[in-house]
Amino acid sequence: MTTQDKLAKLREAMQAQNIDAYIIFSADPHMSEYLPNEWKERSWLTGFTGSAGFAVVTKDKAGVWTDGRYFVQANAELKDSTIDLMKEGIEGTPQFVDWIISEIPKAGKVAVNAIATSNANWELVENQLKKADVSLVDLALLNNIWTDR
């Protein structure tokens, strides 16, 4: 399955659940430094294999945020994927929550697999989204898409 196929299936799942954006962090339930293959959701979905970064998918756009250690690698691995590279720390790169808010409708709904992020991160994202009247929900949307996991 190509990256475009995976994104299309994710967007179908998002539409079925009335989700406007889906965040894919690079984490597992134990917040491990090195992820087991079954928890490399961002890598599986986007093709970007660097150890640091996360992805956000909306109904018509997608981005991967990573730091300077991975700009060259991410640019190469995301080529022809329709996923934008968001270079953290570079002037003009939007903070991901601000980007989500600018891309989805007011009173929108954002989902994340809650066991693939820390409680502190969940609360930070949830509080930022609430200020824009956007809700955060726990949905593991990749579970039914990543069938050979």
Side-chain angles (χ1 to χ4, degrees):
M1 189 174 351
T2 67
T3 298
Q4 289 86 352
D5 294 335
K6 294 172 188 176
L7 288 169
K9 288 189 176 288
L10 174 57
R11 287 180 172 128
E12 287 173 16
M14 290 167 59
Q15 184 174 359
Q17 296 288 330
N18 195 31
I19 300 297
D20 297 297
Y22 191 65
I23 304 169
I24 305 99
F25 291 111
S26 297
D28 70 0
H30 305 287
M31 299 297 111
S32 303
E33 182 176 359
Y34 301 103
L35 298 178
N37 287 335
E38 68 186 271
W39 283 100
K40 294 181 179 179
E41 293 181 330
R42 187 251 313 138
S43 295
W44 177 82
L45 179 69
T46 67
F48 168 55
T49 61
S51 64
F54 57 91
V56 179
V57 177
T58 68
K59 292 177 180 180
D60 58 358
K61 292 184 180 177
V64 166
W65 278 255
T66 193
D67 61 47
R69 296 173 293 168
Y70 296 103
F71 290 170
V72 172
Q73 177 183 345
N75 192 52
E77 291 178 344
L78 295 173
K79 187 178 180 189
D80 301 323
S81 70
T82 70
I83 300 170
D84 295 324
L85 172 58
M86 303 294 193
K87 297 178 177 180
E88 289 186 311
I90 300 296
E91 189 174 335
T93 298
Q95 196 271 347
F96 80 98
V97 174
D98 294 336
W99 183 83
I100 290 169
I101 292 166
S102 74
E103 293 295 329
I104 68 172
K106 188 161 178 75
K109 192 159 58 167
V110 176
V112 66
N113 183 355
I115 63 172
T117 192
S118 68
N119 185 59
N121 194 43
W122 175 277
E123 288 179 356
L124 179 69
V125 172
E126 183 178 44
N127 289 335
Q128 290 177 322
L129 289 172
K130 274 184 185 178
K131 291 175 186 174
D133 194 29
V134 174
S135 61
L136 182 64
V137 298
D138 174 16
L139 283 175
L141 291 177
L142 294 181
N143 286 353
N144 294 325
I145 299 167
W146 190 358
T147 56
D148 61 348
R149 192 175 199 168

